[in-house]
């Protein structure tokens, strides 16, 4: 190579080398580290400046930086240790204050460079913000200062708050504004609260009288105003006059001034009332919708971050709860609509809700997916995140990032940690950088713990998301989003990550020290390239004992060019991919393009939002006040409230202009287009009535009603007609709409484990489902049409997305392989997987109380899987029970031949068929794998009798064994032991019908009380088929049964003709009901029972019966009305409605005093035949539906009755002093000395009978177990193989011998064991002492009482003697005895001598959830909560999950150990 070539190559190589390293050096940010004694209580940037305040509240020092955190200095002129509180001036970025614990305080006018002192005569008040500032720029020195003055009188300090004011920023001594004050604030103290009031208007919450004790009554707190610094003052009456007292709080939020006061009016239960003004002149009461039952309670509501368009309030609907409901107001803050249910909040009142900065109408909230379990069972919260793009009018899940792990469920989305779990300074998700949102969370069904979460980012205001980094990170935006910094938030690190391309790539930077991140921030408008990172360094990196650090990061050294116009783009805020309009405008910002390598450089210049107007569309409207959304439409939740000037003539056909049901979303700016909010003309009959009136609506249907059911805890009801249509009402029957016209529906199912889910089954390969209580319905395909073999089409799992579908396969005409096939889905029907074919029934093994393998499926399927299932039977093809875990991939045959299986409580019960004996065997399991046979009294084994499993809620199973099948069936009720494996006779000759249903029902809310009807003439009925019935009741869970005590007089005050000893009350039972869900009692009103019957020796026909009521759980009864009636409880028993069901009628009767008096209401001029009364499942509403039909026609009808306006008086409850309000404490008794049931006295809480008030959502005091009682005869029942004779004594069954040997085991530290008697204690009883007729001769237990007193005296004294000898030896040896000399070094450490430390019903009783058919055998299950059985001992072989109890010997499950 020529010399000049070599020279040129050398020069170019050198230049390239220098350029490379120069570029490398320039590519790194700069950092500086400053050490502090303690972390800051607050790190504050003066707005639009480079000045920062670091407040060390522990040491009382204030540090100032004027270069965005690079260099720090202690604040001048403030004595060390004096800075107790720092407060900035919100309307002047040069002014701030430091308040101390003395009377001297400090002010800066140059952002902390210099500080001047000023004095206040009194101490700073203990309030969050003692200073209030004027928002007018010309009056920025107008300041209010709240202080506390205390005067010592004797041993007590009497204190009062005093507010001072200054007009010159404390340059001169401040003046007293008002004494005895709670809070004062300038009316002009918010940029958004715009009004034309006097510029010096001040509001104060103060007391209307002085106090000599330092305390005031709440009634003396009022809101005062003044325009002359309280030289004169005016009482703000809020438009309600003298009742404007009890003011709790005053605040200015956005454009609203809000006053909260406690309702102190007579009869009020102390609810909070909100009054709102937008102009300081007119105050209006905030109205919450009827349907929400929202009641504001003190410390139970939060005014959350609101927009300039509406006020947002989160309300706790239940006491002692951290679950709320978010309400959003109209534009003047007076009418609220429910925006979001089950919002997450903490005990401090903080709510997981935040709006996205600078983006109209967009906000993110967290809801509690399992709110019911949290409130009732204190379960751990399962949080889900939702986002709104229309100011809370509608919400939807956050979209999971593309490329996330499989996320098939419709509830699978992105969830983020929010306000209640904040980890950084400032806003949680967003900053002024337009459209940029970052959060820490997880993808799945619910939010994962913080330390298991990842970091996600959105660049389009939350519409779409990407994964930033695995693990939780602190985050901050800079330079309007051109720089994004994140740092590990869970472990020690020395590295931060930053991105300059909107998160598409990340660069790591080592700051040179190991630290744990505590905070990351920048200037308030996120326009700087400099950041402040707060942390705590490791011990090895500390300096002079200081571990708290500020790490200053400067990204201006990246030496990127400044962005030009070509580097920027318009970014539109998008609500969805089809529309760029939000709140009626197209919002757009100018921001840097993602691929531009430049910096914005617009420091301290807030991004400007531009708006283009849009035409109005349907999504610009929301449901108006008192309307609810149903399948996308707004329907009234009840009669409409109208001005008093309308509908005053009382003429027929009079109309008024009412709401269309829609309103434009507050703040929406759309113009023209669709107008959904124009008033419409309505008949005055649709308006809300005056107090005392009743509203009715009649809705005819063209076909019979064959199915109807409410969603749980909802006002939405579904009805299926015989013409295969389904109708829905979202307002308890007030209005109706047909679902999916044109479809033929065979049935609908409510999800057994999810209150908001339901499924509409068509006759094709699709169904419709809802996951939000019927607000919206979605279509989903199925693997096959629903089966026609009688199997339940859908089965539900405790995991709500897991389903089993049983449908027909190859069942076309002429097919030879028609069969029922089961498939399962784990994503609510999106995908289906094969389980088994030729099935009769398939179900999940797991249930609420049967906590077995969640993947286990149980199937009854035919052994020979060939041919058409239509021709199969028990004789030609065995029906096997097969269990499959791992979703039936691992199969195990449990039984070769079964009739069926069912689940209830924690038991799995199988009816095993024994073909060799042509009989049945009852098999029981607690784990779904191992089974044990049931044991029955002689002559009552299921191999020769039909049986019905009735109920279990008191540690025992009730089973009806049919003893006479034809011509009139009846049988005996058997009751099991605690593990459900052997049964004894409880009552003989109990009535049942041919379908297997039994006249047996337990009362809801009172354990162990049940009523039955018995056949009084079994010998005659066996021949003639005519049964004579009598009613019996038990108050000790079947231990004893007796007749119902008849009332002395009827409802007219006349004595009954039957007065002999054999006369008693008899009532009609379950076998005669049209609706299986009807019941004697209601869970909402404990102890109140209604029935139709008669007083006599036997039960009379239904048409000859009258209506009776008991208020004490069936101990005593009264006739409340002549003739038979249907009944329904409402509003927790404060309202009862009855209707004649013997003949067509045009009226109902109702009572508000539990039958003392009745009022009639005519609902129609045309009579209908009523067959059912329906209300919400919980019986807590005052709205009812009559289901019936017009006589002589095929037209059915639903009559909606609304008793909400009977009275507006709310019931008063005092949970601190129950029984001294509108409720009473009641305990069931049997007219005996002790008010005991099951060996304990329990006090129940219910409304007083003579108080006419609305219970509604009023929280009641919890039932209280006062004490255990002494045992009486009612606490015992007959031992196995014994029955009660006519005298009520337990005697041995003729021909039988006692089969249970004496139990010599000793339990619970007892001193004796006892021989068995003919009795044993009722398992559910907790009685103590008394007459223990279950105990025979006593025997000493092995232990203390097995030896003499002298023996135990020696045993006890021997260790003391040994200890004394050892102690004396040590005393002598250690030199501590008198007269010895302890030498130096002998030791005084005696540490080596130190001692070492050592149930409510899920469904109504006797409802057939499962019927077994084998020669007329009925097998019935009723779901009911059942207390878990204690698992004390376990058998080694065979049935491991049945606890061995005192009766285990007969089952041969003795513990082999």
């Amino acid at each position: 190579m020529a010399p000049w070539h070599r020279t040129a190559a050398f020069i170019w190589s050198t230049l390239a080398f220098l350029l490379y390293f120069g570029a490398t050096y320039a590519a790194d940010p700069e950092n500086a580290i400053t050490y502090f004694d303690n972390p800051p209580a607050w790190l504050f940037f003066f707005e639009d400046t480079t000045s920062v305040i670091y407040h060390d509240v522990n040491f009382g020092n204030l540090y100032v930086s004027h270069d965005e955190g690079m260099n720090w200095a202690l604040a001048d002129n403030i004595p060390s240790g004096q800075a107790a509180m720092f407060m900035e001036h919100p309307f002047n970025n040069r002014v701030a204050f430091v308040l101390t614990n003395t009377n001297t305080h400090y002010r800066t006018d140059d952002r902390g460079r210099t500080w001047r002192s000023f004095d206040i005569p009194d101490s700073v008040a203990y309030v969050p913000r003692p200073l209030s500032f004027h928002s007018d720029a010309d009056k920025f020195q107008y300041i209010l200062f709240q202080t506390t003055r205390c005067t010592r009188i004797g041993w007590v300090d009497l204190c009062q708050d005093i507010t001072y004011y200054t007009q010159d920023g404390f340059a001169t001594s401040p003046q007293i504004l008002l004494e005895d004050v709670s809070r004062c604030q300038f009316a002009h103290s918010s940029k958004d609260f715009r009004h034309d009031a006097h510029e010096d208007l001040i509001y104060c919450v103060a007391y209307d009288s002085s106090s000599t004790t330092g305390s005031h009554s709440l009634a003396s707190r009022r809101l005062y105003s003044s325009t002359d610094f309280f030289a004169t003052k005016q009482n703000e009456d809020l438009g309600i006059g003298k009742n404007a007292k009890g003011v709790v709080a005053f605040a200015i939020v956005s454009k609203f001034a809000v006053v909260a006061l406690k309702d102190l009016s007579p009869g009020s239960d102390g609810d909070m009332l909100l009054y709102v003004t937008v102009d300081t002149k007119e105050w209006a009461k905030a109205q919450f919708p009827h349907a929400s039952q929202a009641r504001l309670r003190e410390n139970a509501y939060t005014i959350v971050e609101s927009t300039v368009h509406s006020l947002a309030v989160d309300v706790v609907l239940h006491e002692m709860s951290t679950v709320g409901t978010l309400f959003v107001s109209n534009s003047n803050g007076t009418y609220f609509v429910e925006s979001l249910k089950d919002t997450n909040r903490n005990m401090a009142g903080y709510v997981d809700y935040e709006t996205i900065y600078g983006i109209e109408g967009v906000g993110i909230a967290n809801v509690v997916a399992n709110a019911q379990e949290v409130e009732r069972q204190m379960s751990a919260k399962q949080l889900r995140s939702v986002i709104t793009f229309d100011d809370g009018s509608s919400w939807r899940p956050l979209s999971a990032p593309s490329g996330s792990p499989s996320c098939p469920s419709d509830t699978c989305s992105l969830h983020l940690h929010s306000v209640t779990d904040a980890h950084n300074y400032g806003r949680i998700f967003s900053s002024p950088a337009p459209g940029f949102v970052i959060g820490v969370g997880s993808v799945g069904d619910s939010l994962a713990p913080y330390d298991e979460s990842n970091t996600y980012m959105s660049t389009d205001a939350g519409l779409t998301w990407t994964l930033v980094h695995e693990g939780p990170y602190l985050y901050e935006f800079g330079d309007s989003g051109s720089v994004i910094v994140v740092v590990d938030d869970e472990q020690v690190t020395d590295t931060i990550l930053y991105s300059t391309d909107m998160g598409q790539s990340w660069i790591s930077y080592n700051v040179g020290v190991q630290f744990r991140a505590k905070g990351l921030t920048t200037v308030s408008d996120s326009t700087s390239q400099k950041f402040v990172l707060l942390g705590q360094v490791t011990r090895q990196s500390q300096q002079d004992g200081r571990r708290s650090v500020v790490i200053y990061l400067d990204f201006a050294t990246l030496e990127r060019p400044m962005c030009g116009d070509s580097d920027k783009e318009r970014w539109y805020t998008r609500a969805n991919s089809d529309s760029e309009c939000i709140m009626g405008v197209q919002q757009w910002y100018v921001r840097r393009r993602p691929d531009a390598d430049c910096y914005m450089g617009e420091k301290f210049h807030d991004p400007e939002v531009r708006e283009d107007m849009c035409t109005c569309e349907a999504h610009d409207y929301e449901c108006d006040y008192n309307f609810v959304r149903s399948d996308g439409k707004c329907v009234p939740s009840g009669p409409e409230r109208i001005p008093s000037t309308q509908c005053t003539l009382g003429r027929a056909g009079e109309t008024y202009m009412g709401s269309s049901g829609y309103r434009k979303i507050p703040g929406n700016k759309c113009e023209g287009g669709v107008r959904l909010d124009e008033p419409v003309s309505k008949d005055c009959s649709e308006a809300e009535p005056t107090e005392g009136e009743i509203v009715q609506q009649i809705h005819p249907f063209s076909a019979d009603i064959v199915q109807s059911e409410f969603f749980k805890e909802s006002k939405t009801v579904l009805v299926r007609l015989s013409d295969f249509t389904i109708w829905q009402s979202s307002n308890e029957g007030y209005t109706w709409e047909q679902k999916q016209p044109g479809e033929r529906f065979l049935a609908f199912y409510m999800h057994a484990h999810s209150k908001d889910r339901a499924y509409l089954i068509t006759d094709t390969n699709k169904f419709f489902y809802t996951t939000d209580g019927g607000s919206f319905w979605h279509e989903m395909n199925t693997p096959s049409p629903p089966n026609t073999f009688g199997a339940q089409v859908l089965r539900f799992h405790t995991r709500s997305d897991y389903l089993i579908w049983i449908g027909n396969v190859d069942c076309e005409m002429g097919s030879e392989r028609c069969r029922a096939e089961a498939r399962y889905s784990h994503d609510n029907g999106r995908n289906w997987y094969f389980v088994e074919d030729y099935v009769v029934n398939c179900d999940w093994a797991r249930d609420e109380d049967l906590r077995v393998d969640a993947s286990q499926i149980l199937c009854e399927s035919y052994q020979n899987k060939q041919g058409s299932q239509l021709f199969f039977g028990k004789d030609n093809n065995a029906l096997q029970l097969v269990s499959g875990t791992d979703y039936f991939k691992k199969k195990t045959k449990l039984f070769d031949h079964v009739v069926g299986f069912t689940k209830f409580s924690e038991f799995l019960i199988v009816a095993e068929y024994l073909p060799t004996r042509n009989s049945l065997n009852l098999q029981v399991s607690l784990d779904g794998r191992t089974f044990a046979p049931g044991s029955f009294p002689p002559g009552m084994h299921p191999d020769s009798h039909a049986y019905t499993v009735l109920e279990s809620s008191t540690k025992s199973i009730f089973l009806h064994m049919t003893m006479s099948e034809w011509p009139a069936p009846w049988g005996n009720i058997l009751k099991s032991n605690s593990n459900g494996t052997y049964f004894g006779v409880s009552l003989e000759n109990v009535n049942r019908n041919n379908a297997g249903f039994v006249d047996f029902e337990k009362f809801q809310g009172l354990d162990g009380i049940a009523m039955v009807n018995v056949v009084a003439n079994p010998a005659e009925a066996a021949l003639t088929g005519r049964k004579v019935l009598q009613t019996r009741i038990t108050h000790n869970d079947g231990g004893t049964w007796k007749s119902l005590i008849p009332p002395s007089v009827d409802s007219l005050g006349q004595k009954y003709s039957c007065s002999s000893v054999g006369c008693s009350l008899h009532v009609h039972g379950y076998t005669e009901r049209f609706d299986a869900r009807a019941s004697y009692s209601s869970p909402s009103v404990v102890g109140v029972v209604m029935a139709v019957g008669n007083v006599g020796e036997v039960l009379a026909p239904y048409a000859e019966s009258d209506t009776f009521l008991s208020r004490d759980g069936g101990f005593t009864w009264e006739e409340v009305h002549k003739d038979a009636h249907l009944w329904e409880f409402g509003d927790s028993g404060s309202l009862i409605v009855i209707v004649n069901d013997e003949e067509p009628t045009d009226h109902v009767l109702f009572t508000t005093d539990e039958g003392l008096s009745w009022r009639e209401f005519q609902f129609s001029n045309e009579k209908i035949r009523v067959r059912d009364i329906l209300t919400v499942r919980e019986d807590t509403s005052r709205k009812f539906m009559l289901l019936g039909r017009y006589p002589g026609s095929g037209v059915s009808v639903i009559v909606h009755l609304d008793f909400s306006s009977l009275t507006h008086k709310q019931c008063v409850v005092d949970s601190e002093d129950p029984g001294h309000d509108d409720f009473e404490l009641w305990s069931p008794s049997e007219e005996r000395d002790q008010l005991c049931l099951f060996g304990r006295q329990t006090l129940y809480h219910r409304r007083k009978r003579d108080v006419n008030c609305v219970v509604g959502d009023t929280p009641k005091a919890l039932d209280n177990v006062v004490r255990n009682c002494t045992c009486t005869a009612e606490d015992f029942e007959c031992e196995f193989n014994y029955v009660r004779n006519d005298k009520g004594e337990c005697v041995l069954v003729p021909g039988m011998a006692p089969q249970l040997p004496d139990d010599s085991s000793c339990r619970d530290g007892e001193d004796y064991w006892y021989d068995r008697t003919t009795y044993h204690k009722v398992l559910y009883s907790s009685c103590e002492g008394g007459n223990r007729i279950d105990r025979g001769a006593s025997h000493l237990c092995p232990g203390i009482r097995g030896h003499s007193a002298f023996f135990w005296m020696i045993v006890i004294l021997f260790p003391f003697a040994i200890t004394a000898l050892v102690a004396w030896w040590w005393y002598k040896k250690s030199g501590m005895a008198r007269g010895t000399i302890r030498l130096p070094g002998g030791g005084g450490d005696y540490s080596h001598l130190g001692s070492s430390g050592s149930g409510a019903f899920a469904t109504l009783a006797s409802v057939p959830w499962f019927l077994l058919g084998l020669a007329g055998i009925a097998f019935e299950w009723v779901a009911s909560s059942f207390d878990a059985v204690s698992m004390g001992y376990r058998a080694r072989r065979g049935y491991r999950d049945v606890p061995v109890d005192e009766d285990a010997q007969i089952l041969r499950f003795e513990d082999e150990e």
Side-chain angles (χ1 to χ4, degrees), residues 263-284:
D263 187 359
L264 302 177
S265 59
S268 167
D269 58 358
D271 284 351
M272 301 297 296
L273 305 176
L274 289 186
Y275 283 82
V276 183
T277 183
V278 293
D279 58 9
T280 73
K281 297 180 177 61
E282 295 185 6
W283 294 84

Side-chain angles (χ1 to χ4, degrees), residues 859-927:
C859 278
E860 302 168 44
S861 64
Y862 287 104
Q863 179 181 12
N864 181 14
K865 301 182 183 301
Q866 306 242 341
S868 175
Q869 189 173 332
L870 293 168
F871 307 108
F872 289 175
K874 68 179 179 65
D875 295 327
N876 60 9
N877 201 346
L879 187 62
Q880 300 175 327
L881 181 62
V882 180
S883 168
T885 57
D886 195 13
Y887 305 103
F888 224 70
K889 294 177 182 177
K890 302 174 182 177
K891 294 191 285 187
T892 302
K893 184 172 65 175
L894 299 178
F895 295 98
D896 292 322
H897 210 155
V898 298
V899 173
F901 74 91
T902 190
K903 304 173 295 180
F904 68 93
S905 193
E906 67 266 44
F907 295 99
L908 172 63
I909 299 179
V910 176
E912 181 187 17
Y913 177 59
L914 305 174
T916 57
R917 293 161 45 189
N918 193 28
S919 63
L920 283 183
N921 195 22
L922 190 71
Q923 298 278 353
V924 184
S925 174
L926 293 174
D927 64 359

Side-chain angles (χ1 to χ4, degrees), residues 835-1132:
V835 175
E836 184 68 289
D837 58 3
Y838 289 96
V839 300
V840 171
N841 181 30
C842 284
D843 199 358
W844 301 100
R846 191 178 183 88
D847 212 343
E848 296 289 355
D849 297 312
L850 187 59
R851 311 298 288 178
V852 298
D853 187 345
S855 70
Q856 185 179 0
I857 299 175
L858 298 171
C859 278
E860 302 168 44
S861 64
Y862 287 104
Q863 179 181 12
N864 181 14
K865 301 182 183 301
Q866 306 242 341
S868 175
Q869 189 173 332
L870 293 168
F871 307 108
F872 289 175
K874 68 179 179 65
D875 295 327
N876 60 9
N877 201 346
L879 187 62
Q880 300 175 327
L881 181 62
V882 180
S883 168
T885 57
D886 195 13
Y887 305 103
F888 224 70
K889 294 177 182 177
K890 302 174 182 177
K891 294 191 285 187
T892 302
K893 184 172 65 175
L894 299 178
F895 295 98
D896 292 322
H897 210 155
V898 298
V899 173
F901 74 91
T902 190
K903 304 173 295 180
F904 68 93
S905 193
E906 67 266 44
F907 295 99
L908 172 63
I909 299 179
V910 176
E912 181 187 17
Y913 177 59
L914 305 174
T916 57
R917 293 161 45 189
N918 193 28
S919 63
L920 283 183
N921 195 22
L922 190 71
Q923 298 278 353
V924 184
S925 174
L926 293 174
D927 64 359
R929 300 185 303 273
T930 53
F931 290 79
S935 184
F936 296 86
M940 297 185 191
H941 196 275
D943 59 4
S944 57
H945 298 281
Y947 63 93
T948 302
V949 180
L950 296 173
E951 194 269 347
S952 170
S953 63
T954 51
K955 300 183 179 180
S956 297
I957 301 171
F958 281 88
L959 182 145
H960 182 273
M961 187 72 67
T962 300
M963 304 305 294
S964 176
E965 186 70 47
W966 187 89
W970 69 82
N972 298 341
I973 286 183
L974 308 181
K975 182 184 176 185
S976 79
N977 63 338
S978 59
N979 56 31
T981 52
Y982 91 86
F983 295 81
V985 177
S986 175
L987 183 64
E988 296 179 329
N989 302 330
V990 178
N991 183 50
R992 57 153 276 205
N993 62 16
N994 291 324
F997 304 144
V998 182
D999 273 348
F1000 171 92
E1001 182 177 321
K1002 282 198 171 184
F1003 292 174
Q1004 300 181 67
L1006 289 173
D1007 291 330
I1009 302 180
M1011 281 201 305
V1012 301
N1013 281 337
V1014 299
V1015 178
N1017 62 334
E1020 176 188 344
L1023 298 174
T1024 65
R1026 190 185 72 86
K1027 292 184 285 189
V1028 175
L1029 303 182
Q1030 295 176 336
T1031 301
R1032 300 287 185 267
I1033 191 169
T1034 178
H1035 287 93
N1036 60 352
D1037 205 36
T1040 56
W1041 298 83
K1042 59 185 179 181
S1043 301
L1044 300 183
I1045 300 174
S1048 57
V1049 296
D1050 64 10
S1051 56
L1052 303 178
Q1054 304 297 315
K1055 289 186 177 296
Y1056 289 100
S1057 58
C1058 181
S1059 58
S1060 65
V1061 176
C1063 286
S1064 58
L1065 175 63
H1066 308 281
V1067 299
H1068 292 269
Y1070 175 79
T1071 58
E1072 300 180 64
R1073 291 180 190 155
F1074 169 79
D1075 187 350
R1077 296 165 299 185
S1079 62
Y1080 295 126
S1081 56
S1082 167
S1084 68
V1085 49
V1086 178
V1088 177
V1089 187
M1090 290 196 72
V1092 170
N1094 64 283
V1095 173
E1097 295 186 355
V1098 297
L1099 180 63
Y1102 187 85
E1104 300 174 14
S1105 300
D1106 302 311
T1107 306
F1108 293 82
L1109 180 143
S1110 172
R1111 298 191 72 246
D1112 54 8
F1115 285 112
T1116 61
W1117 293 81
E1118 57 188 284
E1119 182 184 300
V1120 293
H1121 210 281
K1122 289 295 183 183
D1123 298 326
H1125 292 81
L1126 294 175
W1127 67 88
E1128 187 57 86
F1129 300 96
D1131 192 31
S1132 300

Side-chain angles (χ1 to χ4, degrees), residues 570-646:
R570 281 190 179 189
W571 174 75
Y572 284 88
T573 59
R574 298 186 302 146
N576 54 64
S577 58
D578 300 324
S579 172
E580 293 179 342
C581 293
I582 297 180
M583 300 297 291
V585 296
Q586 281 185 309
Q587 290 181 321
W588 56 277
Y589 289 87
V590 173
R591 71 180 190 185
R592 202 200 66 175
R593 289 189 294 107
D595 57 349
D597 186 17
C598 60
Y599 73 97
M600 293 292 288
E602 298 174 348
K603 196 168 185 177
F604 305 133
H605 176 74
D606 291 345
E608 296 182 13
V609 60
R610 279 87 162 180
E611 295 180 348
D612 299 333
M613 297 301 173
C614 300
T615 57
C616 293
E617 300 179 18
H619 61 75
D620 293 310
Y621 297 88
E622 64 184 359
C623 291
D624 202 356
Y625 174 77
N626 224 27
F627 286 77
V628 294
R629 191 171 293 277
S630 174
D631 206 16
K633 300 177 182 178
C634 294
V635 298
S637 61
E640 185 175 0
R641 183 177 299 172
I642 62 172
S644 59
T645 56
Q646 298 191 31

